[in-house]
Amino acid sequence: MQRLPPLSSMEAFLEVARHGTVKAAAIELGLSMPALSRRIQTLEHAVGRPLFNRHHHGLSLTEAGRALQAQLSPILDELRAVIGKAGSPDASLRLRLNILPLFAQQRLFPRLPELRREHPELHIDIETLSHAEARLGDGIDVAIALARSIDPALYAARLDQDKVFPIAAQGLTDGSRPITVPEQLQRMTILLHREMPETFNEWRRAIGMPWLEPAATDYFDSGPLMLEAAAQGIGVAFMHGHHLDDAHDARLTRLFDFDVDSPYSYWFVCRPRALRQPAVKLFHDWLLAAKI
């Protein structure tokens, strides 16, 4: 029987394939770069052909490497799930969820008591780190992502389609120099979420003012902090309509009256095989049925 290469070499290969550099993968795995390179070489020796094209810009997968990544990644996902079930009696009903803070605060948490009543056996571990889609199967089972589109290799279910709202402090509309027309944004700072960097560009094109430039742009990775910054008059936040509606914050108001579709949506995302896991399937079905 042919001996399999070490599992550590397979994990190293998938990390390098995901990050595109040995350095980034070594940091992720807590290894030195030479140690990680040796693991890759071990796997390449077992396969009998190179898995990466090596050049001064970094690494890229060979055809054999791409094929191995596509087939090996779900196998290791399943192996992790098997080990998890063996190590904990309730592992099959424990969900590792990555979610953006504002979606969790405004839309998910108000409904979690309902989920707990219906399925008391389900427990959810929550994290809010960025780049969740790249880490599916490696620390998280499911992500609620905010994106234009999702990698077709993943399973995705769109959760909403919303409008873009310029959101500002109430005082900016009823002060001595109220904001009444978009041209006044040229003397304002606008606030954008890092997950939605093109929101303002799409909005200004849609209203027929592609030339419109704000005085400055500040970027946030937290929706709640964006809303608070807008409420304090720090800038005008370009966010979704329900972000304003669900905030229930009398300090905030919508500027202007343009009806602009957002290019971004919230998505339920996981690896296709993850839907076989009872916890993932249960949460998926409840989330879509609840129309959160």
Side-chain angles (χ1 to χ4, degrees):
M1 180 181 297
Q2 182 180 356
R3 292 180 61 85
L4 290 172
L7 181 62
S8 60
S9 68
M10 302 183 206
E11 291 179 320
F13 161 71
L14 290 177
E15 284 300 316
V16 175
R18 179 162 71 91
H19 288 285
T21 69
V22 172
K23 181 178 180 180
I27 293 172
E28 182 81 16
L29 293 173
L31 296 171
S32 68
M33 291 174 61
L36 184 58
S37 296
R38 286 193 294 272
R39 293 187 182 188
I40 298 297
Q41 290 167 3
T42 297
L43 184 60
E44 289 182 321
H45 178 74
V47 172
R49 63 181 66 184
L51 299 174
F52 293 100
N53 296 308
R54 293 163 172 84
H55 41 77
H56 66 280
H57 294 299
L59 300 173
S60 61
L61 288 166
T62 63
E63 185 176 347
R66 285 193 296 272
L68 181 61
Q69 181 191 31
Q71 297 176 61
L72 185 59
S73 184
I75 292 173
L76 287 192
D77 284 350
E78 294 234 340
L79 182 57
R80 290 186 183 99
V82 168
I83 298 299
K85 290 178 184 178
S88 174
D90 75 335
S92 64
L93 289 177
R94 181 167 294 277
L95 183 75
R96 300 169 301 172
L97 173 66
N98 183 284
I99 189 169
L100 292 171
L102 194 58
F103 186 96
Q105 176 186 324
Q106 292 187 338
R107 297 174 61 173
L108 180 62
F109 282 10
R111 303 290 295 276
L112 278 184
E114 170 190 327
L115 175 61
R116 178 56 54 88
R117 287 193 297 271
E118 294 181 17
H119 301 285
E121 73 280 14
L122 178 66
H123 295 273
I124 304 177
D125 297 329
I126 292 179
E127 67 168 52
T128 59
L129 300 177
S130 58
H131 307 298
E133 294 161 70
R135 297 171 44 251
L136 287 168
D138 183 18
I140 60 173
D141 303 310
V142 170
I144 304 298
L146 183 60
R148 283 178 174 268
S149 60
I150 301 297
D151 184 340
L154 300 173
Y155 169 83
R158 190 195 299 267
L159 301 179
D160 67 2
Q161 181 68 56
D162 211 331
K163 305 291 184 181
V164 176
F165 276 23
I167 302 171
Q170 185 73 47
L172 292 180
T173 63
D174 54 18
S176 59
R177 298 178 63 190
I179 295 180
T180 57
V181 293
E183 288 86 346
Q184 290 172 284
L185 293 175
Q186 293 176 106
R187 57 180 173 86
M188 301 292 300
T189 295
I190 66 168
L191 314 177
L192 297 179
H193 198 287
R194 293 192 183 279
E195 301 284 341
M196 305 168 64
E198 292 300 313
T199 306
F200 177 68
N201 288 337
E202 294 285 349
W203 181 83
R204 65 182 175 179
R205 282 195 291 266
I207 68 169
M209 296 183 180
W211 47 265
L212 187 64
E213 288 290 345
T217 302
D218 293 346
Y219 290 91
F220 288 67
D221 63 3
S222 167
L225 291 182
M226 278 185 72
L227 288 173
E228 183 60 29
Q232 296 291 345
I234 293 171
V236 176
F238 280 77
M239 302 177 74
H240 282 172
H242 72 260
H243 291 148
L244 173 62
D245 297 338
D246 294 343
H248 304 296
D249 190 334
R251 298 174 300 167
L252 294 170
T253 188
R254 173 187 178 182
L255 298 181
F256 321 125
D257 192 25
F258 296 102
D259 192 31
V260 177
D261 290 330
S262 172
Y264 299 96
S265 294
Y266 282 104
W267 304 77
F268 172 101
V269 188
C270 68
R271 292 203 173 164
R273 291 190 179 217
L275 286 172
R276 300 178 186 176
Q277 300 174 26
V280 174
K281 183 67 164 58
L282 188 155
F283 182 72
H284 167 272
D285 292 350
W286 173 81
L287 186 71
L288 269 60
K291 301 185 186 307
I292 290 178

